[in-house]
Amino acid sequence: MNAVDAWFYDGRTPRRQAARLIVADGEVVATGEFGIRKALLADLEISEPMGGAPRTLRFPDGALLEVPDGPAMADWLREAGVADSTVVRLQTRWHWALGALVASVVLIAAFYVWGLPMVSRVVAERMPQSVSEALSRQTLALLDDRMLSPSKLPEERQKALAQHIDAYLGSGGSIPAYRLHFRASEIGPNAFALPSGDVVVFDELVKLAKSDDEVAAVIAHELGHVVYRHGMRQLIQSSVVSFVVGVYFGDVSSVASGLAALALASNYSREFERQADDYGVWLIRHSGHDPEALAVMLDRLEAAYAKAHVGESARSMLASHPETAERVRRIRESGVSRTG
Amino acid sequence: MTEAALANYYDVLGVSPQASLDEIRAAYHARLKVFAAAIHSSDKPQGNDLDLLRQAFSTLVDPQARHAYDTTLNADTNASQGSGGMSPLPIGTGNTDPKAEEPPVDFSRNFRFTGDGGEYFRIWIVNLCLSILTLGIYSAWAKVRREQYFHRNLQLDGSGFEYHAKPAAILKGRVIAFAMLGVFSGSQHLGATAHGAVFLCLMLLFPWLVVRTMRFRALNTSYRGLRFGFEATYWQAFKIFIGYGILVTLSLGLAFPLYYRQMRKFVIDHARFGSTPFACDVGIGLIYRIFVLPGLASIAMMIGVFVLALQMAPTKGGGGAPLLFPFIMLLPVMAYLLIHALIVVRTSNAVWSHTRLGAHRFSCDLPVGGYLGLALTNWLGILFTLGLFSPWAKVRMARFRAEHLAIHAFGGLDDFVAGETSKVSAVGDEAAEMFDMDIAL
């Protein structure tokens, strides 16, 4: 059995004393000017190999043995029957490291594409109604406070429109539960849905529509968001994405992490918009009407948006609404394929 | 009466006034051994007894200081016509022993970092993969390994530092910290009053977290078998972080350098190695001078960027120059890196060079240019490799910082004894990390 040179520290002062180590019958014996120290190999805390750092053996009472010669220590341990752990062995080879890199990329991609959407769908479905109600109430109150003002449409007009929409979309018998709210806003023509089933439509959108049926078509799209709980799912998914990206890029650049999180979350939004489009088309058709109204409204909304934001790029990478032309085409094509 | 109050250094060391340097050194080490053994017995020696011992040694080992001390002692003896057979002869000047003319014992060592980027990358990526596979649970083991890598490769006089925290403690701390984060984020959606209440609670919790973080890190770090320590009360931390923090807000940032100096001093003054406390005496004026120029430059830059952005912004009448916009945004980033480098380098140099550990001093001489180049290349490397360069970046920075840090000791690094040790949980450490409250030295 080879002996290996070490430095001994008694744990009470940092005074360094020379020592020689041997192993006999599973017991480590250290001899030096301090006398003899013995301990069972199993009782010692042996450090993992880490490149140029000295390896250490720690006694239960805090005394320490430091071995500067890494390779000699490795040989000595092997003779003593102590093997490196699996993880340590994985860390020493480059091909394992590269394998771990590939595996990490694949796992993260799989999580982003399948894992997270699936988990968020399950969580959103099991979320208690009271939570989504509270959340929606808060959001609406916040928006009313900051960006929205009461609708300028007369009471009777609002009631009539609401009744028309109900009848238009409900004639098939499968309309989900919802509450309609009217607001005015400087944002322009728009409508959105909250997780609780509250749908908000802006005066400007009502003005943009050439008939009440067209307003109803937009509501049908919004009901898609309600039915599939897109609001809650987007909240969960974008939060998780922000958190993970923040952890990964956090030390380096908050700008990079913010942009990355935004781009990744927008991707999810695009998927949701597509799904809401499909639902809207189905609901309209199920109630016996022509989904062309939805396509027409989308075109008009896009034109109004473009007019209001002259000079900005229409092909914005960060836009959460997929190319509207693409959406309109999908809606119209779905019509063609079904009536064949 | 000063003679009675002033302890006789020769008596403390147990040597005669004519003792040689070798005898003084030997006596000092012998006394240290006695001290160390006594620590674990029932009659524990006082901390200031060790300080006295150290003071005696550092005075007597320096011929000039010893001469001055002897003069004082002789004056007292002559004045009180005291007993004792002390010779009025000044020691050292008449001594023909060549060793007496030696310069004072000075032990200067630079820190070293022996880590390697490629090696750390392998450790990092394998641990990352395992963490993903276990949905984050293995990250506690990954963290322990990461800390051990950077502790053990930081070497002083041939020995590395050690990190003792156990993964289980870290995992428990992380779960609790995660729960706290969840409550905080969740309260956002429950209304302004709930959110405000949670925020206030967290603010009051903050000083407690800071103390626990520092304590956890210190007690789980050791050098040559001796652990570090950190002792501070909640109120001491409260005064610094909440008290001075509010002052910074009220003074619109003017008090920030003051807050910064108090914070660094707080962290250092309450830390110890074994039973020996650290101490920091960096001047407030020095810190203010470091912050003034970068502060003014930041304000000027923010105004400049704001004005430029207004001019560049597209208007309804006709577009701006959208292509130039990214470059305009790059300028503040570069300026930020420069200002950040200036502040980090100068404060590190100032604080470390005014830090003592017992009688030993530290010095730090980071060059601004070198640091800036390093930080810039690290930043670019990480961005262009989508984060894969970060292990190399971390190793490079650790090596750079270690190489420019040195300790200057009297008589070697042996004159410490172990302090009180006790267990502390990892809650503070993990919570602090989760809320990004890294208050590293």
Side-chain angles (χ1 to χ4, degrees):
Chain A
M1 166 94 227
N2 279 333
V4 73
D5 287 318
W7 295 112
F8 174 76
Y9 307 96
D10 64 4
R12 296 202 219 114
T13 75
R15 207 163 73 87
R16 166 194 276 196
Q17 297 172 76
R20 272 185 87 71
L21 304 181
I22 55 161
V23 172
D25 300 323
E27 203 183 33
V28 172
V29 179
T31 39
E33 48 182 271
F34 49 89
I36 295 183
R37 286 290 293 256
K38 293 185 183 176
L40 290 174
L41 201 56
D43 290 338
L44 288 174
E45 209 182 297
I46 303 175
S47 67
E48 289 180 355
M50 273 178 187
R55 290 193 74 170
T56 60
L57 300 101
R58 185 171 299 274
F59 289 89
D61 68 352
L64 181 69
L65 285 162
E66 204 176 43
V67 183
D69 188 350
M73 176 68 162
D75 290 336
W76 187 87
L77 282 172
R78 216 174 300 122
E79 266 194 67
V82 176
D84 285 335
S85 72
T86 317
V87 179
V88 169
R89 268 182 285 135
L90 287 176
Q91 286 166 182
T92 40
R93 293 266 166 274
W94 267 107
H95 57 254
W96 284 117
L98 291 172
L101 177 61
V102 170
S104 299
V105 171
V106 167
L107 283 169
I108 291 176
F111 178 73
Y112 176 76
V113 173
W114 293 302
L116 183 57
M118 190 177 71
V119 167
S120 85
R121 188 172 61 235
V122 166
V123 171
E125 275 163 21
R126 286 186 186 15
M127 186 77 67
Q129 185 70 0
S130 50
V131 174
S132 29
E133 295 266 336
L135 212 84
S136 309
R137 226 185 352 260
Q138 270 310 113
T139 312
L140 192 56
L142 196 75
L143 289 168
D144 277 337
D145 195 39
R146 303 267 175 85
M147 294 199 293
L148 307 178
S149 35
S151 172
K152 297 200 179 46
L153 294 175
E155 275 282 334
E156 312 85 58
R157 175 81 182 101
Q158 289 183 22
K159 251 202 221 114
L161 190 51
Q163 271 168 354
H164 180 96
I165 292 169
D166 227 7
Y168 188 84
L169 297 173
S171 40
S174 356
I175 194 168
Y178 75 102
R179 283 179 296 268
L180 197 59
H181 303 270
F182 292 89
R183 293 286 188 276
S185 169
E186 282 169 14
I187 299 175
N190 214 330
F192 63 90
L194 293 166
S196 56
D198 291 285
V199 176
V200 176
V201 67
F202 292 173
D203 292 351
E204 290 73 9
L205 188 138
V206 175
K207 250 190 292 245
L208 197 65
K210 297 220 171 77
S211 72
D212 289 356
D213 290 352
E214 286 178 353
V215 180
V218 171
I219 303 297
H221 166 99
E222 296 303 325
L223 287 177
H225 288 315
V226 173
V227 163
Y228 291 112
R229 302 174 194 263
H230 288 162
M232 189 62 78
R233 283 160 70 180
Q234 180 64 6
L235 182 66
I236 295 170
Q237 286 172 208
S238 63
S239 301
V240 171
V241 164
S242 296
F243 180 71
V244 172
V245 171
V247 164
Y248 189 65
F249 269 125
D251 288 338
V252 182
S253 161
S254 43
V255 173
S257 91
L259 284 177
L262 195 60
L264 291 170
S266 300
N267 202 29
Y268 284 141
S269 296
R270 267 180 279 222
E271 191 50 48
F272 289 152
E273 292 301 324
R274 261 191 286 272
Q275 202 175 34
D277 281 342
D278 289 346
Y279 178 85
V281 166
W282 174 83
L283 183 61
I284 295 171
R285 201 169 270 131
H286 189 73
S287 315
H289 305 291
D290 187 357
E292 177 63 21
L294 181 57
V296 161
M297 273 306 281
L298 277 177
D299 265 338
R300 231 178 273 147
L301 282 165
E302 174 70 14
Y305 182 81
K307 205 165 73 166
H309 296 84
V310 162
E312 275 182 37
S313 165
R315 302 191 75 84
S316 173
M317 200 186 79
L318 300 177
S320 65
H321 282 225
E323 302 306 342
T324 313
E326 166 71 28
R327 287 171 69 187
V328 167
R329 190 184 58 78
R330 262 183 95 230
I331 292 169
R332 287 192 173 127
E333 263 168 26
S334 71
V336 170
S337 62
R338 276 189 211 195
T339 58
Chain B
M1 288 338 279
T2 46
E3 186 207 359
L6 188 73
N8 187 317
Y9 287 165
Y10 295 99
D11 291 341
V12 169
L13 283 174
V15 295
S16 79
Q18 290 85 14
S20 69
L21 272 176
D22 277 340
E23 283 168 356
I24 290 176
R25 255 186 245 123
Y28 179 59
H29 285 298
R31 281 281 188 277
L32 269 184
K33 265 203 216 178
V34 168
F35 221 95
I39 273 274
H40 289 271
S41 70
S42 51
D43 45 72
K44 289 196 208 299
Q46 299 286 347
N48 33 4
D49 287 346
L50 181 61
D51 288 337
L52 179 62
L53 182 65
R54 214 185 276 117
Q55 204 179 324
F57 174 67
S58 60
T59 306
L60 296 182
V61 95
D62 176 352
Q64 280 184 314
R66 184 176 179 180
H67 179 59
Y69 177 72
D70 287 339
T71 316
T72 328
L73 219 50
N74 291 336
D76 279 345
T77 316
N78 289 339
S80 67
Q81 290 165 349
S83 56
M86 272 211 346
S87 152
L89 273 172
I91 310 291
T93 48
N95 198 330
T96 53
D97 184 353
K99 283 205 184 116
E101 254 76 49
E102 258 181 22
V105 173
D106 199 351
F107 176 95
S108 289
R109 288 285 187 276
N110 273 61
F111 285 76
R112 280 171 62 224
F113 187 76
T114 55
D116 168 67
E119 169 189 59
Y120 182 58
F121 173 78
R122 291 198 301 273
I123 294 177
W124 176 78
I125 192 67
V126 167
N127 282 272
L128 180 68
C129 185
L130 287 170
S131 299
I132 297 174
L133 274 171
T134 55
L135 297 175
I137 295 177
Y138 196 77
S139 62
W141 280 258
K143 168 160 183 185
V144 167
R145 206 166 265 127
R146 175 176 75 237
E147 293 285 352
Q148 280 180 346
Y149 189 83
F150 283 93
H151 275 69
R152 295 177 48 219
N153 278 302
L154 179 65
Q155 294 192 34
L156 178 64
D157 195 33
S159 299
F161 289 78
E162 304 262 315
Y163 183 73
H164 300 277
K166 296 281 170 280
I170 299 230
L171 190 61
K172 207 170 65 166
R174 284 205 163 161
V175 168
I176 296 178
F178 198 74
M180 283 168 65
L181 181 68
V183 165
F184 183 66
S185 307
S187 70
Q188 234 175 2
H189 303 288
L190 292 173
T193 35
H195 192 58
V198 171
F199 183 73
L200 192 65
C201 285
L202 281 175
M203 239 184 59
L204 291 176
L205 202 60
F206 184 70
W208 179 82
L209 278 176
V210 169
V211 173
R212 289 194 70 92
T213 303
M214 296 282 107
R215 232 172 99 73
F216 182 79
R217 287 224 192 113
L219 284 173
N220 279 305
T221 306
S222 72
Y223 176 73
R224 290 186 171 171
L226 237 59
R227 301 233 175 174
F228 288 80
F230 185 85
E231 305 295 338
T233 65
Y234 174 82
W235 289 111
Q236 285 166 327
F238 185 89
K239 253 198 333 223
I240 304 286
F241 292 98
I242 305 295
Y244 279 97
I246 292 177
L247 186 64
V248 170
T249 318
L250 290 177
S251 65
L252 301 174
L254 285 174
F256 183 78
L258 175 64
Y259 162 76
Y260 183 83
R261 185 258 185 185
Q262 295 302 94
M263 179 191 62
R264 294 297 294 256
K265 192 169 151 61
F266 168 77
V267 169
I268 295 174
D269 284 350
H270 292 269
R272 56 183 165 83
F273 175 59
S275 63
T276 309
F278 284 87
C280 178
D281 57 10
V282 71
I284 297 183
L286 179 56
I287 300 292
Y288 258 98
R289 278 200 300 280
I290 293 175
F291 275 94
V292 151
L293 209 61
L296 290 174
S298 301
I299 296 173
M301 186 191 72
M302 278 198 289
I303 297 175
V305 166
F306 187 64
V307 165
L308 265 173
L310 277 178
Q311 295 210 325
M312 289 287 160
T315 57
K316 291 228 158 98
L323 278 174
L324 272 179
F325 206 67
F327 290 99
I328 302 297
M329 289 322 289
L330 206 59
L331 279 175
V333 171
M334 308 297 284
Y336 168 78
L337 277 176
L338 175 63
I339 289 172
H340 185 255
L342 266 172
I343 292 181
V344 166
V345 165
R346 294 229 176 102
T347 50
S348 292
N349 289 347
V351 170
W352 273 110
S353 298
H354 285 92
T355 300
R356 288 189 335 268
L357 174 60
H360 311 312
R361 296 204 80 100
F362 292 90
S363 67
C364 185
D365 59 359
L366 291 166
V368 176
Y371 183 91
L372 185 63
L374 189 68
L376 190 63
T377 46
N378 278 350
W379 190 80
L380 288 172
I382 292 174
L383 233 48
F384 283 115
T385 59
L386 295 179
L388 291 178
F389 186 71
S390 53
W392 279 272
K394 222 171 156 196
V395 166
R396 291 170 89 212
M397 185 55 80
R399 186 178 302 126
F400 185 75
R401 296 197 76 140
E403 281 166 357
H404 291 274
L405 183 66
I407 189 169
H408 306 284
F410 279 113
L413 295 172
D414 287 349
D415 59 343
F416 298 101
V417 286
E420 303 288 338
T421 53
S422 49
K423 298 251 175 287
V424 70
S425 79
V427 173
D429 194 32
E430 292 308 310
E433 204 180 276
M434 191 122 300
F435 285 91
D436 196 20
M437 298 186 290
D438 187 16
I439 314 165
L441 276 170

